[in-house]
Amino acid sequence: MIAQLSRLDELAVVSGRPRFEEKLHVGRPNIGDRAALMGRIEDMLDRLWLTNNGPLVQEFEARLADYLGVEHVICMCNATVALEIAIRALGLTGEVIVPSFTFVATAHALQWQEITPVFCDVDPASHNLDPRQVERLITPRTSGIIGVHVWGRPCAIEELSEIAARRNLKLMFDAAHAFGNSYGGQMIGGFGAVEIFSFHATKFFNTFEGGAVATNDAELATKIRLMKNFGFAGYDNVIYIGTNGKMSEVSAAMGLTSLESVDTFIAANKRNHHAYRRGLAGLPGVQVIAYDDGERCNYQYMIVEVDEAAAGISRDDLVRVLHAENVMARRYFYPGCHEMEPYRSYFPHSHLLLPETEKLTQRVMSLPSGTAVGPDEIGPICEIIRAAVENPDALRPYLAAADGRH
Ligand SMILES: *Cc1c(COP(=O)(O)O)cnc(C)c1O
């Protein structure tokens, strides 16, 4: 009992002294070889070719196509614009079925072009679209399905492909989390009509800002290339409606450099994942989500599900405990897209149709990983979580006080 209390005293919600002096963030950028990056940037400056399908973008696209085992990769300024363009190039209209348990960009990319995102519930085991629910939401206005490989774990690709084929719907994937991952031994990027990656600075593989579309459909690739460059087919020759989705050369320089270190980044994530797994083993109500070790996986998201009934402490309180220690755990995805505007106003009753999504938005948190943290941080983070879960009653008054301060 005394030992437990002394550990409780060590928690910052009690003592006011955080375990970490500097904040540990989720999604700190991974940076590759600086000299290689600077070399590419120097060459770029010498060339005076900063954007508009320069040599670095061309090289990056070729390397990505090779890495992903797909025929066409089109780099873009970010994944949201890549989603918007892919949606438009695929000719989606009316209603499109998407999960609510995703980053809001998946829904916004539809609504931005006045296509209605129809939110579908997820499978609580995979956190991904539940194919049986998808089938029930199809109406005469439905034109497509966008699956999201949440945390990089592949969607029910086969079931969704079967439904899309049988009901004559387009299928695409938001693969923003799944760069470097495989399904059935085949790299994510080649499934559905098109898959979209994000290379935002908070993703484990970044180009500062950036994204890419991957497809094996040559016609679609041509359309997407036109759309991301104002519809220019050549000098002074616009043959299509387009926007500006181009990736700049400096982003491609970062991308090429990141690609050279991608295995190192993944190894750090994997090491961290297993360190958390060991550190949190056996804690009631605290479950680290598992990845399939038989597939290629980037392990970028360190996701924990907190079952308040079993843990004795809610996810939100655990996040409070961690924030007091300067461990900036994040509630993900919180709230669900259906609870954000404009969807909340458009579909005020959708939460009734999304019970599993609602539960997950209350249970899931993301912990710091990537090259910015290692065993020296993860050990203490796990001790903090363990101390909180082992003393929920004693902590309650302190949490109420901490809540008042936030
Ligand atoms: C990050 C993310 C996006 C948006 O990517 P950007 O490159 O920031 O536009 C879209 N969907 C999901 C699931 C994401 O995590």
Side-chain angles (χ1 to χ4, degrees):
M1 227 29 228
I2 288 164
Q4 269 199 357
L5 276 177
S6 86
R7 277 172 57 189
L8 187 65
D9 281 346
E10 286 167 18
L11 288 177
V13 279
V14 177
S15 70
R17 286 186 303 276
R19 188 70 159 259
F20 297 97
E21 257 171 51
E22 301 207 352
K23 288 186 175 10
L24 299 179
H25 289 279
V26 171
R28 267 286 143 101
N30 293 319
I31 314 253
D33 183 322
R34 286 180 190 219
L37 173 64
M38 295 309 170
R40 288 187 167 106
I41 293 174
E42 292 286 355
D43 292 348
M44 174 196 82
L45 294 175
D46 290 343
R47 267 195 303 272
L48 298 176
W49 192 349
L50 308 185
T51 186
N52 288 359
N53 202 32
L56 291 171
V57 163
Q58 291 178 37
E59 184 185 349
F60 188 37
E61 287 181 344
R63 295 261 182 103
L64 287 173
D66 192 43
Y67 181 73
L68 299 171
V70 294
E71 280 175 44
H72 309 277
V73 171
I74 303 122
C75 285
M76 302 247 187
C77 53
N78 62 57
T80 305
V81 166
L83 279 165
E84 287 168 7
I85 290 176
I87 285 164
R88 202 164 178 118
L90 266 184
L92 299 186
T93 56
E95 296 173 358
V96 171
I97 298 170
V98 288
S100 169
F101 195 66
T102 178
F103 181 61
V104 72
T106 322
H108 277 356
L110 291 163
Q111 191 65 51
W112 190 255
Q113 26 204 348
E114 297 184 20
I115 300 164
T116 303
V118 174
F119 294 121
C120 180
D121 212 0
V122 292
D123 175 340
S126 69
H127 300 187
N128 283 324
L129 274 184
D130 178 348
R132 285 163 309 171
Q133 305 284 342
V134 168
E135 183 108 43
R136 284 194 210 151
L137 294 172
I138 298 171
T139 75
R141 287 177 38 103
T142 309
S143 62
I145 303 166
I146 304 181
V148 182
H149 306 302
V150 171
W151 320 134
R153 297 194 295 186
C155 287
I157 290 174
E158 280 159 45
E159 290 89 335
L160 292 174
S161 302
E162 187 276 321
I163 293 170
R166 181 159 44 76
R167 305 295 295 264
N168 197 23
L169 302 173
K170 300 277 175 34
L171 174 65
M172 58 181 270
F173 294 104
D174 178 340
H177 294 185
F179 184 72
N181 293 9
S182 68
Y183 174 73
Q186 187 188 325
M187 294 301 272
I188 297 289
F191 296 100
V194 32
E195 301 207 66
I196 283 79
F197 295 100
S198 171
F199 307 141
H200 184 256
T202 53
K203 266 63 179 190
F204 90 104
F205 175 92
N206 87 85
T207 63
F208 307 128
E209 289 266 6
V213 166
T215 182
N216 288 313
D217 181 333
E219 208 178 310
L220 194 62
T222 304
K223 223 170 173 179
I224 289 170
R225 277 194 187 285
L226 283 168
M227 284 184 163
K228 70 117 206 233
N229 188 28
F230 312 101
F232 274 107
Y235 263 125
D236 301 336
N237 185 24
V238 171
I239 60 163
Y240 214 79
I241 181 173
T243 182
N244 182 357
K246 291 180 266 91
M247 176 179 274
S248 71
E249 285 290 273
V250 73
S251 283
M254 184 65 163
L256 285 163
T257 310
S258 295
L259 201 54
E260 286 162 358
S261 291
V262 69
D263 292 338
T264 316
F265 300 159
I266 291 174
N269 291 339
K270 186 171 184 178
R271 171 204 66 196
N272 290 348
H273 179 86
H274 288 291
Y276 275 113
R277 234 178 215 302
R278 280 191 302 276
L280 299 173
L283 261 191
V286 176
Q287 195 195 337
V288 175
I289 68 147
Y291 294 105
D292 183 345
D293 283 325
E295 297 282 359
R296 292 180 63 167
C297 181
N298 61 40
Y299 294 88
Q300 72 176 307
Y301 290 100
M302 204 11 255
I303 300 298
V304 170
E305 256 186 77
V306 182
D307 174 2
E308 183 174 359
I313 183 167
S314 67
R315 184 273 316 265
D316 286 357
D317 277 343
L318 211 41
V319 167
R320 273 185 199 110
V321 168
L322 288 163
H323 282 193
E325 308 286 355
N326 279 335
V327 179
M328 305 316 285
R330 293 284 309 272
R331 306 187 283 188
Y332 262 19
F333 297 101
Y334 179 86
C337 293
H338 66 287
E339 292 291 354
M340 294 183 174
E341 293 295 356
Y343 315 109
R344 185 190 173 90
S345 298
Y346 288 174
F347 320 113
H349 304 296
S350 55
H351 61 281
L352 299 172
L353 300 169
L354 301 166
E356 300 301 341
T357 301
E358 289 273 306
K359 267 186 238 163
L360 285 178
T361 62
Q362 300 300 321
R363 289 163 63 112
V364 169
M365 68 176 177
S366 171
L367 296 171
S369 189
T371 52
V373 298
D376 290 348
E377 289 81 24
I378 292 169
I381 294 172
C382 293
E383 278 174 39
I384 291 161
I385 295 173
R386 191 170 286 277
V389 170
E390 286 172 356
N391 300 283
D393 295 329
L395 266 185
R396 213 149 277 140
Y398 298 103
L399 286 169
D403 196 21
R405 281 202 302 273
H406 278 226

